[in-house]
């Protein structure tokens, strides 16, 4: 705990809807909240596919299209709070419409559904550098637009916004994606924006922050930046991942013109491993200007000793 941190009383179990509950952060959050005794509702396109959540106590998986206001309102009926984890890192094209639907239009639908069912508590997991006007990418601009829509409801909704840097942990889509690419690409690894900066944050530390936001009124109408204790360049991160995964490669930093060509080419590959919008996001540092974990009385864990576990490997 940070010096001077006030410890608040934890209220009893609540009924909480978790949007995006079947994703990377969502699975960890739902398991954590269920263990705390909360009653969880998790809307999902395919409830039968979420096997790990189906066996948890206090968890109800509901087949719901979250973009349907009526269906989402029915899912929220009787809930005390909502956590929104839904977000995408890439879209089908490059005009921002996919990001707008996933982030902005969904927030409008969520707020409409909350109003219909008198749900007054929303925790939004956003992103560092989210900015509706000056965001470097469609991703960051639409995340910022969603934040503004939520903040505009202060008269009727108690909101908390969490802005994490890049997340890591077992099964994540960041360090594990780079580990896979390093395994597939021999000898040297061509890297766009090698100087880009990150402060990787462990998924369970973000889960702890969400838990506090849900259970402590002092977090209402506040925004918290969430970063791990160490800042790395992307080049340093890729080298660390290579060492930890047993696939050391020479990392060759690409000039920006070539990095943009790489992004255009990789957009055409299945799964879109790298895109122009990803490239644009890399042009701004994903580091904190305020220590949200200290404000919450939490101590985030460092990347280096937890990297092997995130990769499912032993330390080398």
């Amino acid at each position: 705990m940070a010096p001077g941190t006030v410890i608040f009383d934890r209220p009893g179990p609540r009924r909480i809807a978790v949007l995006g509950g079947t994703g990377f952060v969502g699975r960890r959050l739902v398991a954590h909240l269920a263990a705390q005794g909360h009653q969880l509702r998790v809307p999902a396109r395919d409830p039968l596919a979420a096997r790990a959540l189906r066996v948890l106590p206090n968890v109800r998986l509901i087949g719901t299209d979250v973009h349907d206001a009526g269906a989402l309102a029915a899912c929220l009926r009787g809930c005390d709070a909502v956590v929104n984890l839904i977000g995408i890192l890439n879209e089908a094209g490059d005009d921002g419409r996919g990001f707008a639907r996933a982030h902005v239009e969904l927030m409008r639908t969520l707020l409409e559904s909350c109003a219909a069912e008198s749900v007054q508590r929303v925790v939004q997991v956003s992103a560092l550098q989210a900015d509706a006007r000056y965001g470097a990418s469609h991703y960051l601009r639409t995340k910022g637009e969603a934040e503004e829509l939520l903040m505009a409801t202060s008269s009727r909704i108690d909101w908390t916004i969490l802005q994490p840097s890049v997340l890591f942990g077992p099964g994540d889509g960041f360090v594990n994606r780079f580990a896979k690419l390093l395994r597939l690409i021999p000898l040297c690894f061509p890297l766009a924006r090698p100087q880009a900066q990150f402060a990787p944050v462990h998924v369970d530390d973000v889960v702890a922050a969400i838990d506090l936001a849900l259970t402590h009124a002092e977090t209402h109408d506040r925004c918290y930046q969430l970063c791990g204790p160490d800042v790395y360049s992307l080049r340093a991160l890729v080298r660390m991942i290579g060492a930890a995964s047993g696939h050391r490669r020479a990392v060759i930093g690409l000039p920006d013109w070539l990095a943009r060509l790489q992004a255009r080419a990789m957009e055409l590959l299945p799964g879109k491993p790298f895109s122009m919008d990803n490239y644009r996001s890399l042009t701004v540092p994903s580091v904190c200007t305020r220590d949200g974990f200290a404000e919450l009385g939490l101590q985030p864990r460092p990347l280096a000793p937890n990297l092997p576990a995130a990769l499912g490997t032993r330390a080398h």
Side-chain angles (χ1 to χ4, degrees):
M1 292 291 180
T5 297
V6 178
I7 310 301
F8 306 110
D9 292 332
R10 176 182 295 275
R14 295 184 174 187
R15 290 163 293 183
I16 303 167
V18 181
L19 278 60
T22 61
F24 170 57
V25 179
R27 294 191 300 272
R28 310 283 285 204
L29 176 65
V30 169
H32 174 82
L33 294 178
Q36 301 294 327
H38 299 294
Q39 300 292 318
L40 284 305
R41 293 182 186 174
V42 181
R45 284 174 295 188
D46 184 5
L48 296 178
R51 298 177 182 176
L53 300 183
R54 284 160 50 196
V55 301
L56 294 174
N58 310 323
V59 176
R60 180 184 171 195
L61 285 156
I62 304 172
T64 302
D65 177 4
V66 294
H67 292 281
D68 182 321
L72 183 56
C75 182
L76 302 186
R77 191 163 297 140
C79 285
D80 303 301
V82 183
V83 180
N84 182 26
L85 300 169
I86 292 176
I88 61 171
L89 292 175
N90 277 312
E91 60 179 357
D94 189 32
D95 59 7
R97 286 184 294 179
F99 288 108
R101 183 174 189 269
H103 301 154
V104 185
E105 293 174 22
L106 176 61
M107 178 57 72
R108 289 195 181 98
T109 301
L110 173 58
L111 295 176
E112 179 183 337
S113 300
C114 286
E117 296 300 329
S118 301
V119 178
Q120 299 177 337
R121 185 76 183 103
V122 175
V123 177
Q124 167 79 357
V125 178
S126 185
L128 280 177
Q129 301 291 355
D131 191 305
R133 293 164 187 79
Y134 304 111
S137 60
H138 293 310
Y139 171 77
L140 292 173
R141 283 194 295 276
T142 55
K143 280 288 191 179
E145 289 180 57
E147 289 183 3
E148 289 192 351
L149 287 173
L150 180 58
M151 289 187 286
T153 66
S154 291
S155 61
R156 59 185 176 85
I157 285 181
D158 296 318
W159 53 264
T160 302
I161 295 171
L162 304 176
Q163 297 177 321
S165 184
V166 64
L167 274 67
F168 74 95
D172 70 57
F174 182 72
V175 301
N176 281 280
R177 173 169 289 192
F178 274 110
K180 181 179 179 180
L181 291 172
L182 287 164
R183 185 174 68 250
L184 294 174
I185 300 174
L187 302 179
C188 65
F189 189 84
L191 184 65
R193 301 293 301 178
Q195 73 277 25
Q197 290 187 313
F198 296 92
V201 57
H202 196 281
V203 59
D204 289 340
D205 294 329
V206 174
V207 165
I210 297 170
D211 186 357
L212 279 172
L214 285 167
T215 54
H216 296 78
E218 286 75 9
T219 65
H220 291 183
D221 299 346
R222 294 191 61 185
C223 181
Y224 297 91
Q225 297 181 3
L226 303 180
C227 284
D230 303 306
V231 175
Y232 300 92
S233 69
L234 184 56
R235 184 195 299 271
L237 282 171
V238 172
R239 285 174 172 166
M240 287 177 63
I241 293 166
S245 64
H247 302 290
R248 296 177 186 267
R249 303 287 186 266
V251 178
I252 308 300
L254 299 178
D256 283 348
W257 68 269
L258 189 53
R260 289 190 289 268
L261 287 177
Q262 182 193 58
R264 289 299 186 192
M266 295 184 77
E267 284 181 330
L268 304 176
L269 298 177
K272 213 172 189 178
F274 186 56
S275 69
M276 274 302 299
D277 209 71
N278 299 152
Y279 170 84
R280 297 181 196 111
S281 291
L282 289 175
T283 62
V284 292
S286 184
V287 296
C288 292
T289 57
R290 303 193 320 272
D291 190 344
F293 280 120
E295 294 168 10
L296 291 167
L298 298 171
Q299 180 64 50
R301 66 203 77 188
L303 171 68
N306 293 286
L307 185 53
L311 294 166
T313 64
R314 295 180 179 180
H316 287 261

